[in-house]
């Protein structure tokens, strides 16, 4: 006897009087259905509306087909789905899932698609700051965009005030495959790329700054920290902040900024001859300890730690506390 099963379906928020549901009996309809969950996140956090509020639209409303909010939602969702190039939107502008997330399923005019093509989105991405020009009718407020991620983090916090927040700073490579503005060859990554700066608190982004591929890794960090720290302490005056970063950020400007604002920091230091000389006894002791380890412990390196004050010859303004780790892998000796 065949098993009778009730069809399973999930209802989503509708749009323009139409119902939207996901079911498993209609065949393959779209490859971007997972973006519906992304759209719900964007609506619950107000992401699309908050980003759109950072722009000023000086276009004539009577001649405007695609609102700034629609353009912003279309671009953000497209990036999240992996469609980085604006050229992709000449096809995506007719995608029903993308239109649903942008809140627009049909064009206002009969010969117009629901969403914008690459030319209209290009005007959004090249929106200047200040007064609009002849060819740029959409402007933006840089400070509002720079502060937006921190604002979303603070406003989305639930529960008691945090006792401590850890801010992680790092940059990463955004590989380019054409002649994009700002592209440069990066020797560490081995390809042409851009070098955006990121500041995270756990899994929450607080800053994302696009920079040329040949940018100084620590460039712009102090300014970004200033904006983030001011916003966090305005909401939580007693929160303890800790900054973590690798050796690329062991700069006087960054460390002095943290010290002046009572921010703890843990920043790596690149190995050099002066540091090796200061932990020479610990390195020797670690080597001796590793030689005495037998086979059952062969995968455990010997580690010893040292603490001392240290300052560079010219770039640092003062001595700072350094914690060094002396370690070596064990040398196996058959007996």
């Amino acid at each position: 006897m065949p098993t009778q099963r009730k069809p399973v379906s999930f209802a989503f928020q509708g749009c323009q009087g139409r119902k939207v549901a996901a079911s498993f009996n209609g065949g393959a309809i779209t490859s971007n259905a997972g973006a519906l969950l992304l759209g719900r996140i964007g609506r619950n956090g107000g992401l699309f509306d908050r980003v759109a509020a950072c722009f000023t639209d000086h276009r004539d409303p009577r001649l405007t087909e695609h609102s700034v909010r629609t353009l912003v939602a279309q671009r953000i969702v497209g990036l999240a789905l992996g469609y980085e190039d604006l050229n992709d939107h000449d096809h995506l502008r007719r995608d029903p899932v993308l239109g649903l997330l942008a809140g627009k399923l049909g064009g206002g005019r009969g010969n117009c698609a629901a969403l914008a093509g690459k030319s209209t989105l290009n005007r959004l991405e090249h929106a200047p700051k200040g007064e609009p020009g002849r060819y740029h009718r959409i402007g933006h407020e840089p400070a509002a965009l720079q502060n937006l991620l921190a604002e979303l983090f603070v406003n989305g916090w639930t529960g008691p005030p945090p006792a401590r927040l850890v801010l992680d700073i790092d940059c990463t490579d955004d590989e380019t495959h054409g002649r994009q503005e700002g592209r440069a060859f990066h020797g560490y990554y081995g390809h042409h790329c851009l070098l955006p700066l990121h500041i995270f608190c756990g899994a929450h982004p607080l800053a994302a700054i696009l920079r040329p591929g040949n940018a100084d890794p620590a460039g712009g960090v102090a300014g970004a920290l200033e904006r983030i720290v001011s916003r966090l302490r305005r909401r939580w005056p007693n929160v303890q902040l800790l900054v973590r970063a690798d050796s690329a950020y062991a700069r006087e400007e960054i460390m002095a900024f943290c010290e002046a604002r009572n921010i703890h920091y843990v920043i790596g230091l690149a190995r050099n001859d002066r540091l090796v000389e200061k932990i020479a006894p610990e390195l020797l002791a670690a080597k001796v300890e590793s030689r005495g380890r037998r086979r059952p412990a062969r995968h455990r390196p010997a580690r010893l730690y040292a603490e001392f004050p240290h300052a560079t010859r010219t770039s640092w303004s003062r001595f700072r506390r350094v914690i060094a780790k002396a370690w070596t892998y064990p040398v196996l000796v058959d007996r």
Side-chain angles (χ1 to χ4, degrees):
M1 180 177 178
T3 302
Q4 300 295 327
R5 295 184 179 180
K6 183 179 179 180
V8 179
S9 63
F10 300 93
F12 291 89
Q13 181 175 340
C15 180
Q16 294 183 346
R18 305 184 189 182
K19 295 182 179 180
V20 179
S23 63
F24 302 92
N25 57 0
I29 305 300
T30 177
S31 61
N32 295 326
L36 291 172
L37 299 177
L38 177 64
R40 175 164 292 184
I41 295 174
R43 285 191 297 269
N44 292 345
L47 176 62
F48 302 152
D49 294 325
R50 296 291 298 274
V51 175
C54 299
F55 292 84
T56 304
D57 192 354
H58 298 276
R59 297 174 297 174
D60 188 341
R62 299 170 299 175
L63 305 176
T64 300
E65 174 65 29
H66 309 290
S67 68
V68 170
R69 198 271 185 192
T70 300
L71 298 176
V72 167
Q74 179 183 349
R75 188 62 173 131
I76 291 177
V77 174
L79 288 170
L81 294 175
Y83 302 109
E84 300 178 358
D85 296 332
L86 291 181
N87 293 341
D88 298 330
H89 286 269
D90 279 349
H91 297 282
L92 292 173
R93 63 186 308 193
R94 293 176 173 83
D95 186 291
V97 172
L98 204 66
L100 174 65
L101 300 183
K104 191 178 180 187
L105 295 176
R109 295 188 292 266
N111 60 345
C112 186
L115 300 178
K118 63 179 185 298
S119 299
T120 305
L121 289 172
N122 183 68
R123 297 188 186 99
L124 176 74
E125 296 204 348
H126 287 272
K129 60 182 179 180
E131 293 297 323
R134 178 180 178 183
Y135 301 105
H136 296 91
R137 306 302 297 170
I138 301 176
H140 78 283
E141 179 55 47
L145 282 173
Q146 292 171 351
N147 297 328
L148 179 60
L149 291 177
E151 288 288 340
L152 290 172
F153 172 72
V154 170
N155 295 335
W157 185 273
T158 58
R164 186 179 75 163
L165 295 174
V166 180
L167 309 182
D168 291 297
I169 305 173
D170 204 355
C171 59
T172 187
D173 62 313
D174 184 2
E175 186 176 3
T176 60
H177 303 279
R179 296 189 175 276
Q180 290 91 334
E181 182 181 359
R183 68 187 286 271
F185 183 82
H186 200 290
Y188 179 81
Y189 297 108
H191 52 238
H192 288 83
C193 64
L194 303 173
L195 198 68
L197 171 69
H198 301 284
I199 301 179
F200 276 79
C201 181
H204 302 277
L206 301 182
I209 303 173
L210 186 62
R211 304 180 302 177
N214 56 0
D216 178 2
V221 171
L225 281 177
E226 177 70 55
R227 294 190 297 270
I228 293 171
V229 169
S230 298
R231 185 63 186 94
L232 295 179
R233 284 186 167 163
R234 191 161 63 248
R235 173 69 180 274
W236 303 298
N238 299 321
V239 66
Q240 183 187 85
L241 299 177
L242 171 66
V243 170
R244 297 190 301 192
D246 59 26
S247 59
Y249 304 92
R251 309 291 183 87
E252 172 66 25
E253 179 185 17
I254 298 174
M255 292 185 288
F257 170 87
C258 294
E259 292 160 355
R261 290 158 180 80
N262 193 28
I263 301 172
H264 296 177
Y265 60 85
V266 179
I267 300 179
L269 286 179
R271 181 188 180 110
N272 58 54
D273 293 339
R274 290 183 63 203
L275 294 175
V276 171
E277 183 180 355
K278 289 188 175 184
I279 62 170
E282 287 77 14
L283 286 171
L284 179 60
K287 185 179 296 185
V288 172
E289 181 180 343
S290 67
R291 286 176 177 172
R293 294 194 169 178
R294 298 179 180 272
R295 283 187 181 275
R298 63 183 181 274
H299 296 299
R300 296 187 324 193
R303 297 185 181 91
L304 294 176
Y305 297 88
E307 178 183 341
F308 52 87
H310 175 73
T312 61
R313 290 191 172 96
T314 58
S315 59
W316 289 10
S317 62
R318 51 172 295 225
F319 279 85
R320 294 183 169 95
R321 178 190 178 199
V322 173
I323 299 176
K325 179 175 71 173
W327 65 279
T328 181
Y329 283 102
V331 178
L332 301 180
V333 179
D334 291 325
R335 296 181 180 178

